[in-house]
Amino acid sequence: MSAKVVPPAPWPVEPWAIREPHLDLEELARTESVFALSNGHLGLRGNLDEGEPRGISGTYVNGFHESFPLEYGESGYGFAEDGQSLVDVQDGKVIHLMLEDEPVDVLRGEVLAHERVLDFKTGTLDRAMHYRSTYGREVKITTRRLVSFTQRSTAAILYEIEAVSGPMRIALQSNLMANVPAQSGTKDPRKGKDLGDVLEPRLARGFELRAVLAHTTRNSKMTCAAGMEHVILSDASNLHTAIYVEDDLGRATLSCQIKPGRPFRFVKFMAYHWSSRQSPEFLRDQVTASLANATAEGWEGLLRDQRTFLDRFWEKADIELEGDEAVQQALRFSLFHLLQAGARIEGRAIAAKGLTGPGYDGHAFWDTETFVLPWMTYVMPEVVRHALLWRHSILPQARERAHMLGMGGATMPWRTIHGEECSGYWPAGSAALHVNGDVADAVRRYIDATHDDAFAAAEGGELLVETARLWISAGTYDHAGNFRIDGVTGPDEYSALVDNNVFTNLGAQSNLRAAADTAARLPELVETMEITDDEIAAWRKASDAMYLPYDERLGVHPQDQGFLLHDPWDFGGTPADCYPLLLNYPYFQLYRRQVLKQADLVLGIHLHGDQFTPEQKRRDFDYYEGLTVRDSSLSACTQAIVAAEVGHLDLAYDYLREAAFVDLHDLHHNTSDGLHIASLAGAVLGITNGFGGMRDSGGRLRFSPRLPTDVPSIRFAVTVRGARLRVSVDQERARYELETGDELTFEHWGEEVRVVNGTPLERPTPAVEDLPRPKQPPGREPARRDG
């Protein structure tokens, strides 16, 4: 990533779509991620309909993975043993086309015009191509692809071809293929593992224009069944159809005569179901039923339902930013992909890349709870509940992991699909106990925002209790009576195995308080979890005594107890092409210097700001600005939020733009492996929590809005306990209007206010202070909007 320059926009700027006006074969892998479609359960990368050329093939079903043993040159007790990787399942996107005896191939023929559009309002990927073959046969092809939000297991493609140069016979081969080669190996740890052909055939059936294949993974023994069905929408001359199936291939062939002015149209429906317990035959029947439902609804019915679903989403989720059309487009791109990542997870995780690519092996990390769920809590609380139910479902593995590490309660994994810790690097994975606090914070926020007491008394309360029990066993009291947590790793991956990481301790403190408060008001939880009065008292005592180190000499909080004893990194002597540092320097050197891959203590200021004074926040932010290189996509958004809070509004805007453009401009040069879902969420939080000043720690909803001079106004909505509040901010005032619900009480710049439905409330916003801009490491400054 070049920190100084945001490349020119590769897409025309428009408010409700991402448009690729011509085909760029050099950027296929990147655009496949940008144009990915998903509903949280089923995901299709934006591969070309012909299947080739491609960057990385990808069709994913949430949770479907292969397992493999993690290998160590020298192993040790407690090392993670189980690797897991998302599997590219049967690919039903491919439709080959022959013009007489010539294949449509963009590498051989002439592409006279080509456009793809990701439409945020229809939820479709639309493609139009004007193509001329080597022998002059000319056709226009249009396709429209969707992954249904309303029929969870279903995707569909509307395909149309029209002759331009004259009559011709065409043959369409619509395929369903397993074990499609995905990508080549790499040493970049952020990319996914190439497992090769892991799908073993179990079943292959064909009937008329329908095919169903079922495959089982070799090691994890999961079975996925996939099917396709075809419905022809137009009359065709001399139409011939055939179906063919073998172990790894189902193929429907449509051959007919076409002529100018008489396009040939058909719809391809696809369905996917998987299980680790059900038989291939049982899954086949589920696929057949889903295909029957989809064909009964028809293409127009699916499209109508898709539009209706998205209309409802945008009514409650849209964010408006006046004065910067490119950022407005990027924000809606972010919102759309956040919806796609979570809409139909239903008990599964939201992975770091969603279902847009193989990056990070399809694992879920702590950044879901820290960046994605905070936004979703106030827009899609039902999705947050499902995400937390997934966390609850892996409690058995987390308890077992804690026991292996010699601790009580549960130790949440740093990265996983199925629940086991999958990080083969101990300092970054097993030592990152802050994940427990991150999960607890998401539970606490959801309960506060929804008052879902049924969840609090059951799964949510169980998560709070078991994560709290971990802290009691992991911490200890020193001679001064401080509760300290030693030998841990915080969010910043350029430090490891440190004592009293402030972010970790803040999360533990909040976790312990939330567990104690929840147990105190829910006797049924106390009974179920066998919580004693002494245990609740121990949680409160540890929370009150939590050690948060502070350096009086510098007037800042050290990231951890020993951080300020290290020498700063030699930023001036680091060449620009040696970033990211993790790919060019040994961790031995990184761990011994003051250098941050990503915001760490500053993230603590954002999430636990009530533990800092305003002056401490500003001094801490300014100090760590000079040490943070943003080698992680998770950093810019946090720096944007806290920069806005402490008064650096222009700097906050620069960081917001970086977070918003991370994938549209490929700032980290790895969008090809999938989108950065947490960074997209962070860009949204840059508006709501940054310029909107929204905070919710301590169970209190608060707004402290103000805008940089370049932003005339913003508008967004949050839903709290069923009441939807519309927040509008301009350069002088904030307006609060209740759209649903009767009334809502919250704070505006420290003043408690109450809004009732039908009576908007306005309050002034303070003037922006004229503060000196803090310095970043040389060459790592965010790009300024003005150049």
Side-chain angles (χ1 to χ4, degrees):
M1 180 186 76
S2 172
K4 281 191 173 182
V5 178
V6 173
W11 325 95
V13 175
E14 53 187 291
W16 289 100
I18 297 296
R19 186 181 307 272
E20 181 191 48
H22 62 273
L23 182 62
D24 187 346
L25 296 178
E26 298 297 321
E27 297 291 341
L28 274 181
R30 179 173 62 86
T31 58
E32 288 164 356
S33 297
V34 170
F35 289 137
L37 295 176
S38 171
N39 61 14
H41 170 70
L42 171 63
L44 310 180
R45 278 177 65 81
N47 303 114
L48 299 179
D49 300 289
E50 302 84 57
E52 295 182 15
R54 62 176 179 267
I56 301 172
S57 177
T59 301
Y60 310 110
V61 184
N62 197 346
F64 189 82
H65 68 276
E66 177 64 307
S67 299
F68 54 91
L70 292 175
E71 298 178 358
Y72 300 93
E74 184 175 344
S75 188
Y77 181 81
F79 281 23
E81 299 177 350
D82 187 38
Q84 297 162 6
S85 187
L86 186 69
V87 172
D88 179 17
V89 298
Q90 301 95 331
D91 186 1
K93 303 185 298 294
V94 177
I95 302 175
H96 293 149
L97 172 61
M98 295 283 288
L99 309 179
E100 299 289 353
D101 58 353
E102 293 183 279
V104 170
D105 181 350
V106 298
L107 297 176
R108 296 171 57 185
E110 185 178 0
V111 179
L112 301 176
H114 191 279
E115 180 179 79
R116 287 189 290 177
V117 180
L118 181 66
D119 191 317
F120 306 150
K121 287 192 171 184
T122 62
T124 58
L125 175 61
D126 303 335
R127 182 189 185 201
M129 178 169 67
H130 189 173
Y131 177 86
R132 181 187 295 141
S133 73
T134 304
Y135 290 98
R137 298 182 179 98
E138 199 170 317
V139 293
K140 290 183 178 179
I141 302 166
T142 59
T143 65
R144 201 167 206 191
R145 182 186 300 177
L146 67 78
V147 174
S148 175
F149 287 118
T150 56
Q151 297 196 24
R152 182 172 181 250
S153 302
T154 300
I157 300 172
L158 174 66
Y159 194 103
E160 178 180 303
I161 177 171
E162 180 179 359
V164 175
S165 58
M168 67 186 78
R169 174 166 284 280
I170 62 169
L172 291 145
Q173 295 175 313
S174 178
N175 290 347
L176 182 65
M177 304 186 298
N179 292 312
V180 177
Q183 61 177 334
S184 59
T186 175
K187 293 183 178 180
D188 188 337
R190 300 168 296 180
K191 295 179 179 288
K193 185 179 182 66
D194 186 356
L195 299 175
D197 295 350
V198 300
L199 295 175
E200 297 183 334
R202 297 292 304 279
L203 178 151
R205 299 287 186 273
F207 175 73
E208 295 183 344
L209 289 178
R210 179 193 307 157
V212 179
L213 304 178
H215 290 77
T216 300
T217 53
R218 289 198 180 96
N219 298 323
S220 62
K221 301 304 179 184
M222 294 179 171
T223 300
C224 181
M228 63 177 182
E229 177 68 278
H230 301 79
V231 175
I232 298 171
L233 300 180
S234 55
D235 294 332
S237 175
N238 297 319
L239 176 65
H240 170 76
T241 65
I243 192 75
Y244 170 81
V245 294
E246 59 184 43
D247 285 349
D248 285 351
L249 173 65
R251 172 179 294 151
T253 300
L254 312 175
S255 175
C256 65
Q257 289 279 350
I258 62 171
K259 58 184 179 180
R262 296 282 300 275
F264 178 68
R265 303 170 74 237
F266 71 94
V267 180
K268 179 178 187 177
F269 297 97
M270 295 165 279
Y272 292 79
H273 288 271
W274 76 269
S275 176
S276 58
R277 296 187 295 269
Q278 294 168 338
S279 69
E281 291 75 18
F282 193 87
L283 292 170
R284 173 203 59 199
D285 291 347
Q286 292 181 51
V287 166
T288 302
S290 292
L291 289 173
N293 286 339
T295 54
E297 193 70 28
W299 170 263
E300 292 300 328
L302 289 178
L303 184 62
R304 179 190 64 246
D305 291 347
Q306 195 87 333
R307 288 177 182 270
T308 300
F309 187 96
L310 283 164
D311 286 345
R312 292 171 179 166
F313 170 74
W314 289 115
E315 181 182 7
K316 61 186 178 181
D318 191 26
I319 289 176
E320 296 175 77
L321 179 141
E322 185 183 1
D324 193 330
E325 294 179 352
V327 172
Q328 177 68 81
Q329 179 188 39
L331 288 169
R332 288 189 175 129
F333 172 81
S334 299
L335 291 166
F336 179 73
H337 273 290
L338 287 168
L339 172 67
Q340 291 202 132
R344 300 302 304 273
I345 55 169
E346 296 171 19
R348 299 292 172 188
I350 298 175
K353 299 291 188 180
L355 296 175
T356 66
Y360 297 113
D361 288 313
H363 290 172
F365 291 76
W366 61 278
D367 38 286
T368 297
E369 282 79 13
T370 301
F371 297 94
V372 180
L373 298 192
W375 168 77
M376 284 187 172
T377 297
Y378 296 100
V379 177
M380 305 164 64
E382 69 284 356
V383 174
V384 176
R385 195 179 201 275
H386 279 294
L388 295 175
L389 287 174
W390 170 76
R391 278 290 181 186
H392 180 266
S393 76
I394 67 171
L395 264 179
Q397 297 95 311
R399 291 188 182 107
E400 182 180 347
R401 183 69 177 159
H403 179 74
M404 176 177 285
L405 297 178
M407 294 185 287
T411 301
M412 285 292 164
W414 187 64
R415 61 184 299 172
T416 191
I417 295 176
H418 187 257
E420 296 81 6
E421 177 60 72
C422 292
S423 173
Y425 185 56
W426 172 278
S430 296
L433 297 186
H434 70 85
V435 181
N436 269 33
D438 305 327
V439 172
D441 193 47
V443 172
R444 187 272 314 162
R445 180 179 295 105
Y446 170 77
I447 294 172
D448 285 346
T450 63
H451 284 186
D452 186 348
D453 282 346
F455 178 78
E459 299 91 352
E462 192 171 347
L463 283 167
L464 290 175
V465 169
E466 292 291 57
T467 50
R469 285 171 171 167
L470 179 281
W471 296 120
I472 295 299
S473 65
T476 185
Y477 289 92
D478 63 20
H479 65 278
N482 298 310
F483 189 79
R484 53 187 297 125
I485 304 171
D486 297 334
V488 300
T489 299
D492 171 37
E493 297 167 31
Y494 288 170
S495 296
L497 301 177
V498 301
D499 295 341
N500 296 298
N501 170 260
V502 172
F503 178 85
T504 300
N505 286 16
L506 286 168
Q509 182 182 60
S510 175
N511 188 172
L512 290 162
R513 286 176 179 165
D517 292 345
T518 304
R521 71 181 182 86
L522 295 173
E524 59 268 46
L525 177 65
V526 172
E527 181 179 355
T528 301
M529 298 299 294
E530 299 180 348
I531 304 168
T532 65
D533 291 343
D534 287 344
E535 187 170 26
I536 295 176
W539 294 341
R540 295 198 188 279
K541 179 183 176 182
S543 178
D544 292 342
M546 190 65 64
Y547 180 43
L548 303 176
Y550 183 76
D551 189 286
E552 296 288 351
R553 181 179 62 87
L554 293 177
V556 299
H557 289 84
Q559 180 168 289
D560 58 74
Q561 188 174 338
F563 184 79
L564 299 179
L565 300 177
H566 299 318
D567 289 335
W569 183 265
D570 180 12
F571 297 106
T574 303
D577 60 1
C578 283
Y579 291 96
L581 298 179
L582 80 159
L583 298 184
N584 294 283
Y585 295 93
Y587 280 112
F588 177 72
Q589 294 297 340
L590 295 171
Y591 290 165
R592 303 193 305 158
R593 298 288 187 270
Q594 289 189 48
V595 57
L596 280 69
K597 180 183 181 185
Q598 64 209 79
D600 189 308
L601 184 125
V602 171
L603 181 59
I605 293 174
H606 168 211
L607 295 177
H608 307 286
D610 47 0
Q611 300 299 309
F612 300 81
T613 68
E615 178 61 23
Q616 287 174 343
K617 292 178 183 179
R618 182 173 293 173
R619 289 182 65 88
D620 285 345
F621 178 81
D622 287 358
Y623 184 84
Y624 287 100
E625 272 296 280
L627 302 173
T628 306
V629 298
R630 303 193 315 289
D631 282 347
S632 166
S633 63
L634 300 179
S635 195
C637 55
T638 298
Q639 290 170 265
I641 292 166
V642 180
E645 179 176 4
V646 302
H648 298 301
L649 274 299
D650 290 336
L651 177 61
Y653 195 17
D654 293 339
Y655 279 135
L656 168 66
R657 296 177 74 247
E658 184 175 303
F661 293 150
V662 67
D663 286 314
L664 288 180
H665 295 256
D666 197 13
L667 297 184
H668 287 260
H669 308 296
N670 60 357
T671 296
S672 59
D673 302 308
L675 302 181
H676 299 78
I677 300 300
S679 183
L680 300 181
V684 173
L685 294 177
I687 298 293
T688 59
N689 293 35
F691 298 153
M694 178 176 164
R695 298 291 186 274
D696 58 16
S697 58
R700 296 174 296 121
L701 187 62
R702 310 183 297 282
F703 296 93
S704 300
R706 55 183 174 179
L707 302 178
T709 55
D710 285 349
V711 179
S713 68
I714 61 171
R715 295 182 75 240
F716 62 91
V718 296
T719 300
V720 183
R721 297 182 287 280
R724 187 166 71 226
L725 179 71
R726 182 73 57 182
V727 181
S728 305
V729 184
D730 61 25
Q731 289 290 327
E732 297 180 351
R733 65 185 62 83
R735 175 185 171 93
Y736 302 100
E737 183 175 4
L738 204 60
E739 297 179 338
T740 63
D742 296 327
E743 64 178 37
L744 187 66
T745 300
F746 54 91
E747 291 182 12
H748 169 86
W749 281 100
E751 173 196 2
E752 184 173 293
V753 297
R754 175 173 166 268
V755 179
V756 297
N757 200 319
T759 307
L761 175 74
E762 291 191 358
R763 285 291 187 271
T765 58
V768 177
E769 302 168 81
D770 185 14
L771 298 174
R773 187 177 174 110
K775 295 184 180 298
Q776 294 76 35
R780 307 306 291 170
E781 306 89 347
R784 298 199 182 200
R785 185 187 181 194
D786 56 7

